[in-house]
Amino acid sequence: MGTGRRGLIAMAVTVVCGVTVLAAPATAFAAPAPLPSKAPTSAAKASPTPASPTPSAPSSSASPGTSAPAPNKDLEAVREKLERLYREASVATDSYNAAEEKAERQSAAIVELAKKIVAGQEKLADLKKRAGAAAASQYRTGGLPDEAQLLLSDDPHDFLDGAGRVLQGQRATKGLIGEVARTQQDLEQYAADASAQWKNLEANRKAKDAARTKIKKRIAEAEKLESRLEKAEKKRLAELEAEAARRAQTAWLDSGALDDAGGKATTAGAKAVAYATAQIGKPYVWGAEGPDSYDCSGLTSQAWASAGDPIPRTSQEQWKQLPHVAVKDMRPGDLVIYFEDATHVGMYVGDGAIVHAPRPGRTVTIAGAGSMPILGVVRPDA
C-alpha cells in the first residue's frame, strides 16, 4: 500500500472521529517424474487418513552412530503425515489470501470514503460561508427582515420589485438550509460507512494473522519431520510420492476421463498457459503472486491476468465464481480445482497434464492432472 493511500486512510480515520462528534444531536505433491507420450504421471495423491509416524529407530545390526533406513510402511506413514501437514498449510494459505484480498478491497473503499468526506466537508464549509454572508447582509440592513423593509417602501414599483426579491430570498434561504442539512447527513453516512469498513479491515487483519501463524506452524512441523530422515530415507520417500502420483494418474486415465477430450486453447487460454509454463522452476511461497515465486492460485490468477482476463485470487473463489465445465470438455487454459474444499488449483496444459505450484519446498512444475483428487474444472474465458 502506497504512502498516499496510507495518508488517505489515516485522514479518513481522523475525519470519521470528527464527523461522529459533529453528528452527535479475513499436500504434499511430489516432484513430477518424466511424462510419457500418452500423459504425464507425476505428483502425489493426497491421503485422506493421515498417520502420526516417526522415522524408525536405529537397528541393532546397524553400525554405531548410524540409523537403519525405515521400512516402506513407516515411510508411507511419514508421507501421509507430510501430506496432511502441507494440506493444512494449503487450507490456511487460501484463508490468508482471501483475507488479504478482502483487506485490499476494504482499504480501497476507505480511501474512496475519505475522498467523499473531504469533499463533503469542503461543501459544508462553502454553505456555511454563504449562510454567513446572508447573515451579514441582514445586519447591514439594520436587522430588519426583507418583509419589514418591503412594507416600509413608499414606491409601488419598488414594492413589486421587492416582493419578487423577498420570494427569491425565501426560496434561497430554504434551499441553503436544506443543502446544509443534506450535506451534514451525507457526512454522517460516510463516517458510519468508513467506521464499518475499518472494523471489517481490522477483522480481516486478525484473520490474516491467525492464518499466517497456522501456515508457519504446519510448515515448520513438516520440515522438522523431514529433517529427521536419513538421506536414503528422503530418496525413498520421494520415490513413494512419485509412485502414489503415478498410481492416481494411471487410475484416472484408465477411467476414461479424457477419452473424448481434445478441446483447443483459445487465444487468451494459450497466453495464460504460456505465462504459467514460463514460471516452471520458480519456488512455491505461500501468499506469493510472482514474479519470483508463487502459490497455487497466485500462479493461475497471474497467468490469466497476463492474458487480459483477471480472475479471483484464491482457488476457492475461482471455484465459486468461474463457470464450471465437464472434465471431458476441458481445454488448455482451464483450471483444475482439487480436494473437496477447493484449496488447490492447477492449469490444464493438454495431454492430461497441469502446471501448478505444489507446496512449500517444491517449485512450479508439470504434473498429471489426475494425480490429486479432482473437485472439478472451471473456465476463465467461457
Side-chain angles (χ1 to χ4, degrees), residues 157-202:
H157 185 268
D158 290 344
F159 183 89
L160 293 175
D161 286 346
R165 288 195 300 274
V166 168
L167 291 174
Q168 291 176 352
Q170 288 175 337
R171 285 195 292 267
T173 300
K174 289 181 180 178
L176 183 61
I177 293 173
E179 190 68 14
V180 169
R182 285 191 295 273
T183 301
Q184 185 68 45
Q185 289 174 353
D186 287 345
L187 283 171
E188 292 171 6
Q189 186 60 53
Y190 295 153
D193 291 346
S195 178
Q197 290 289 359
W198 193 262
K199 289 179 181 178
N200 290 336
L201 186 64
E202 180 64 14

Side-chain angles (χ1 to χ4, degrees), residues 31-55:
L35 304 176
S37 57
K38 177 181 177 182
T41 56
S42 57
K45 180 179 178 182
S47 170
T49 310
S52 301
T54 56

Side-chain angles (χ1 to χ4, degrees), residues 37 44 57-58 62 99 101 106 142 147 223 233 237 275 283 301 304 327 361 375:
S37 57
E101 192 174 34
Q106 287 152 0
E147 295 86 341
E223 290 175 342
E233 290 175 327
L237 179 62
Y275 179 97
S301 61
W304 272 102
V327 172
L375 176 63

Side-chain angles (χ1 to χ4, degrees), residues 351-364:
D351 295 327
I354 60 165
V355 58
H356 73 144
R359 52 91 158 166
R362 297 288 190 263
T363 60
V364 176

Side-chain angles (χ1 to χ4, degrees), residues 7-24:
L8 278 171
I9 292 178
M11 178 170 59
V13 176
T14 303
V15 171
V16 167
C17 296
V19 173
T20 302
V21 173
L22 289 173

Side-chain angles (χ1 to χ4, degrees), residues 36 39 59-60 78 84 120 174 219 243 265 302 324 337:
S59 169
S60 58
V78 170
R84 176 177 64 80
K174 289 181 180 178
I219 292 175
E243 287 172 10
Q302 288 302 305
H324 293 200
I337 309 296

Side-chain angles (χ1 to χ4, degrees), residues 74-324:
D74 289 345
L75 282 175
E76 179 63 22
V78 170
R79 183 186 70 80
E80 291 177 358
K81 184 171 183 180
L82 286 172
E83 277 194 355
R84 176 177 64 80
L85 291 171
Y86 282 123
R87 279 279 299 121
E88 290 176 359
S90 178
V91 172
T93 296
D94 223 48
S95 298
Y96 176 90
N97 290 336
E100 174 73 11
E101 192 174 34
K102 289 179 182 178
E104 288 177 358
R105 290 198 300 267
Q106 287 152 0
S107 294
I110 290 173
V111 169
E112 291 305 312
L113 286 167
K115 292 177 180 177
K116 289 181 179 180
I117 290 173
V118 171
Q121 286 186 320
E122 291 174 348
K123 181 179 180 181
L124 188 61
D126 179 65
L127 291 171
K128 288 180 178 180
K129 182 178 179 181
R130 288 164 55 189
S137 175
Q138 184 176 359
Y139 176 79
R140 287 194 298 272
T141 59
L144 292 175
D146 291 337
E147 295 86 341
Q149 294 184 47
L150 182 59
L151 291 174
L152 295 176
S153 175
D154 294 328
D155 189 317
H157 185 268
D158 290 344
F159 183 89
L160 293 175
D161 286 346
R165 288 195 300 274
V166 168
L167 291 174
Q168 291 176 352
Q170 288 175 337
R171 285 195 292 267
T173 300
K174 289 181 180 178
L176 183 61
I177 293 173
E179 190 68 14
V180 169
R182 285 191 295 273
T183 301
Q184 185 68 45
Q185 289 174 353
D186 287 345
L187 283 171
E188 292 171 6
Q189 186 60 53
Y190 295 153
D193 291 346
S195 178
Q197 290 289 359
W198 193 262
K199 289 179 181 178
N200 290 336
L201 186 64
E202 180 64 14
N204 276 297
R205 184 193 67 77
K206 291 179 180 179
K208 283 173 57 182
D209 288 344
R212 181 190 293 111
T213 298
K214 185 172 184 179
I215 293 166
K216 291 182 176 180
K217 183 177 180 180
R218 293 298 180 267
I219 292 175
E221 289 179 36
E223 290 175 342
K224 183 177 180 180
L225 180 59
E226 288 182 290
S227 71
R228 295 173 181 167
L229 299 175
E230 298 293 330
K231 184 176 180 179
E233 290 175 327
K234 290 180 180 179
K235 181 180 178 181
R236 182 55 186 151
L237 179 62
E239 291 172 352
L240 289 173
E241 290 178 342
E243 287 172 10
R246 280 192 290 271
R247 287 195 302 269
Q249 176 73 358
T250 299
W252 182 66
L253 292 173
D254 289 348
S255 72
L258 292 184
D259 286 355
D260 298 322
K264 302 297 182 182
T266 61
T267 300
K271 289 180 180 178
V273 168
Y275 179 97
T277 53
Q279 312 313 310
I280 289 174
K282 293 183 178 180
Y284 176 104
V285 174
W286 62 267
E289 299 177 80
D292 299 322
S293 57
Y294 297 87
D295 62 20
C296 66
S297 57
L299 176 65
T300 54
S301 61
Q302 288 302 305
W304 272 102
S306 74
D309 196 348
I311 62 173
R313 168 64 176 88
T314 70
S315 57
Q316 291 180 335
E317 289 304 310
Q318 289 168 5
W319 174 245
K320 288 179 184 178
Q321 297 185 34
L322 299 178
H324 293 200

